[in-house]
Amino acid sequence: MSIAALAMTFMLPLAGLVMALFALMAGIRALPALKGVGKPTGIAVSGITISSIALALSAGATAMQLYLMDEYSAYQECMKGAGTVSSQGECFTQFRDAAARKLPADVLDVLGAMQP
């Protein structure tokens, strides 16, 4: 479940957030049960680790989507009317410029030139 949460994080961050929470709870609940019957706990620990990473990534991506909601909505509206590749590039340039006004420069450096 934790690997599915990590995959969902990259497709739908909010769904990845929910799935990561479920995976984390399942791993935490499984840990004492496995210890009680003398079984190895490596899989439960790795599940907890992976789901924690997925939780952090999906929480960050969801927060970023919420913070840039207005800019992303304007980008989507622009893309609806963009019929050519150059006009789609113009939409992305407008989005990048709007995000640059709202985000610190070091965050933009980390994000690079990735398109939304």
Side-chain angles (χ1 to χ4, degrees), residues 9-34:
T9 296
F10 295 106
M11 292 183 285
L12 296 168
L14 189 58
L17 181 72
V18 172
M19 191 174 285
L21 284 172
F22 283 128
L24 186 61
M25 288 187 315
I28 290 171
R29 285 184 173 187
L31 201 56
L34 289 172

Side-chain angles (χ1 to χ4, degrees), residues 37-67:
V37 294
K39 300 264 182 164
T41 59
I43 292 178
V45 171
S46 63
I48 291 170
T49 304
I50 292 171
S51 61
S52 297
I53 292 168
L55 183 65
L57 289 174
S58 61
T62 301
M64 185 69 73
Q65 283 181 342
L66 291 174
Y67 186 66

Side-chain angles (χ1 to χ4, degrees):
M1 191 167 17
S2 62
I3 293 174
L6 189 60
M8 287 298 293
T9 296
F10 295 106
M11 292 183 285
L12 296 168
L14 189 58
L17 181 72
V18 172
M19 191 174 285
L21 284 172
F22 283 128
L24 186 61
M25 288 187 315
I28 290 171
R29 285 184 173 187
L31 201 56
L34 289 172
K35 284 182 182 178
V37 294
K39 300 264 182 164
T41 59
I43 292 178
V45 171
S46 63
I48 291 170
T49 304
I50 292 171
S51 61
S52 297
I53 292 168
L55 183 65
L57 289 174
S58 61
T62 301
M64 185 69 73
Q65 283 181 342
L66 291 174
Y67 186 66
L68 294 175
M69 185 182 306
D70 294 335
E71 290 79 4
Y72 192 67
S73 294
Y75 171 75
Q76 288 178 327
E77 287 298 317
C78 181
M79 288 297 283
K80 285 180 185 176
T84 64
V85 173
S86 63
S87 60
Q88 290 174 355
E90 178 82 18
C91 291
F92 177 69
T93 302
Q94 290 173 3
F95 172 77
R96 189 182 59 222
D97 293 343
R101 287 189 294 274
K102 204 167 186 181
L103 294 173
D106 55 342
V107 173
L108 292 174
D109 290 340
V110 170
L111 294 177
M114 294 175 47
Q115 291 191 11

